[in-house]
Every structure is written in C-alpha cells, then in structure tokens.
Amino acid sequence: VRQGAQTALESVNRRMVQILDSVPDGFFALDRNWRYLYINGSFAKLIRSPVSDLLGKNLWETLPALAGTEIELQFRRVMAARIPVVFEAINPLDSKGYEYHVSPLEDGLSVLVIDITERARAQAEIQRLNVDLTERAGALESMNKELEAFTFSASHDLRGPLRAIDGLSRMILDQTASL
C-alpha cells in the first residue's frame, strides 16, 4: 500500500512539474531562507541561467541586481506579512516591465512573473491617442465656435443690403404694377 501511495505521489509531482514547466510565464518557489525550491524553464530563460545552477541557491545571491528594488521590497513584504501581493515593476536584469504575483507558502513563497512589456506599450499608445483625440476635439470645438461667429456676422452683415434690395424690388414691383 505504501509503495502504491509513493508511486501515486511521484506521478502527481511529475504532473505538477510538467504543468508548471508548460506555463509560458516565469514561475518559481522559495523557502523561508530565500533558496530556490522550484524554477520553471520560463523563469530560468528570463534570468538567463540554467535551472540546475539555481536550485538550492539564495535568490539575493544569484540576483544581486534586485537589491533595493520594488521587487525586493514586495518579496520581503509577502514573506513577513504572509499576504499575497500583485505589483508591476521594471526588472533591472532586462529593463522590461513585469507583473509579479507573489503568494506566501507554508515554508516560503511562490512567484509568477508575467512580461507586460507589450501591454504597457499598448497602454502608452492608447494614452497617447487619447491625448491626441482630446486635442483634436478641442480644436474642432474651437473651429465650430469660430464658424458660428462667422455665420452670425455674415448673416448680420447681409441683412442691411438684403433689406435694401427687398425695398428696391418692392418699389419696382409697385411701379410696374401701375403700368
């Protein structure tokens, strides 16, 4: 029975590793001493280091560039307060924007790292387009006001001459009617 349970546990463990390794985003788990317990291939690729070189090693020793960053601050916060945190930060290793999902584990924490560079670029483009649209709408509104003022002025300026023409044409009609 014990052998069967052990085999089932190993099978579940292999399946879990396969699932985590298939995730296109970086994922890793740390123990309370900041040592890597698990690293998926995507995270190893992100930090340009083989999984075998990292397992069992200290995060801060393997990635000293994280010292003093928002990443370090948030990781330490999760480890101390035991509350999950989601935040965005620029990774000093590649200067790209990432979204970090950091969750406490019984014996450490887990981290999901999602590259948001394209999303951030798209958001910046949307903001730029919104500013451009607002500026164009303001310019259009200004042109419409100018057009209204011109129309009012033109119609007012034409009233006098049109009254004169109307008066002259009535006079001509009155004169020709008596002929």
Side-chain angles (χ1 to χ4, degrees):
V1 174
R2 185 168 186 189
Q3 181 63 29
Q6 181 67 27
T7 303
L9 183 61
E10 288 172 1
S11 175
V12 168
N13 190 38
R14 277 193 305 276
R15 183 72 178 137
M16 184 183 73
V17 168
Q18 284 176 335
I19 291 168
L20 291 174
D21 278 340
S22 72
V23 174
D25 300 311
F27 180 83
F28 62 96
L30 302 167
D31 68 13
R32 287 189 183 270
N33 295 315
W34 303 101
R35 289 185 305 244
Y36 293 103
L37 297 172
Y38 173 80
I39 301 166
N40 76 352
S42 296
F43 183 72
K45 184 178 175 185
L46 181 129
I47 63 170
R48 297 179 184 100
S49 189
V51 172
S52 59
D53 289 357
L54 298 170
L55 284 176
K57 301 237 173 89
N58 183 284
L59 168 74
W60 311 119
E61 292 171 8
T62 58
L63 298 174
L66 297 182
T69 66
E70 180 70 13
I71 298 166
E72 179 186 20
L73 176 75
Q74 294 297 337
F75 283 16
R76 291 189 185 280
R77 180 175 163 216
V78 172
M79 192 71 86
R82 312 306 298 157
I83 56 166
V85 171
V86 176
F87 66 97
E88 294 178 5
I90 301 297
N91 187 321
L93 302 172
D94 62 7
S95 300
K96 287 184 174 183
Y98 291 92
E99 182 176 272
Y100 295 84
H101 295 254
V102 187
S103 300
L105 298 173
E106 185 177 311
D107 61 342
L109 55 85
S110 67
V111 181
L112 177 65
V113 184
I114 302 169
D115 185 345
I116 58 166
T117 305
E118 188 57 34
R119 180 174 74 189
R121 188 206 58 74
Q123 285 174 337
E125 179 67 8
I126 288 169
Q127 285 179 321
R128 186 192 66 74
L129 290 171
N130 280 338
V131 167
D132 186 47
L133 186 61
T134 301
E135 289 172 358
R136 288 179 185 215
L140 212 55
E141 188 175 331
S142 176
M143 285 186 219
N144 278 339
K145 286 181 181 176
E146 288 177 22
L147 188 57
E148 285 175 13
F150 172 76
T151 304
F152 177 79
S153 175
S155 70
H156 184 270
D157 290 351
L158 290 175
R159 283 188 188 146
L162 286 175
R163 269 194 235 116
I165 292 171
D166 185 48
L168 185 59
S169 53
R170 286 181 198 268
M171 200 169 54
I172 293 173
L173 277 174
D174 287 347
Q175 287 178 358
T176 54
S178 59
L179 291 181

